[in-house]
Amino acid sequence: MNALAKLTTVELKLLAREPGAMFTILIPLFILVVFGSSITPGDTVLLPMSLAIAVGLVGLYQLPTTLATYRERGVLRRLSTTPVRPTSLLTVQLALQLVLALTACGLLVAVAGTVLRAHVPSSALALTVAFLLGTAAMFAVGLLIAALAPNGRAANGIGVLLYFPMAYLAGLIQPPHQMPPVLRNVGEYTPLGAFRRVLAEVWAGGFPSPVMMAVLAAYALLISLAAARFFRWE
């Protein structure tokens, strides 16, 4: 337990110094502030889109790059000879990346709700369910990237290459109602698109639809199983 606490402390310090972590916080905030100047009070569109962008960056960029870099440098292999197993590092990293996503999203909600006067949903339960399912799906994709990428640079590149098509299909680059119907319908059933959809439903005052929750849960489960199947410790 003491070794795990020390590992968590070290990993937290490394994450705090990681430029990519700051990137995942500042980019969504920059988008929110820039476009927030044109929204009307009570807006229900910009904030959920910004939250999806933030979680997408953590899941597709920060998480896989970190894990693949650790494997490339032999960190996971060396841990297997210590009381702290590689699985402990994986667990700590997932927890810290979740904290990073929560930090980014908390900052977005605070700025949007107080400065921009955007709408913030009143149902904490609906928001929590939507956030956890969406984050689980995006993190699962990140774990699969980490499992398949040969090194940190490749994981970074794959994450970036995946992020922009997924963001477009999800309606985060172009509003969904302006997209071709076929792309809009397909995009809603991608991991990031389903996440944007459930957040939009929460911001509209409802509860995430069972279909979209099932889609996100299926993505989280099936892709995590695939990541576990292909993940290499060295």
Side-chain angles (χ1 to χ4, degrees), residues 177-199:
H177 67 272
Q178 296 180 5
M179 296 170 60
V182 173
L183 291 181
R184 181 173 66 246
N185 293 335
V186 170
E188 284 191 348
Y189 290 91
T190 62
L192 197 53
F195 186 29
R196 183 205 61 79
R197 171 74 180 273
V198 296
L199 288 175

Side-chain angles (χ1 to χ4, degrees), residues 28 32 39 43-54 104-113 116-121 127 199 203:
L32 177 71
I39 67 173
D43 179 79
T44 60
V45 176
L46 182 59
L47 180 53
M49 289 178 60
S50 299
L51 297 180
I53 290 172
C105 291
L107 181 60
L108 290 170
V109 171
V111 171
L116 303 177
R117 292 185 295 169
H119 173 69
V120 177
L127 180 57
L199 288 175
W203 254 257

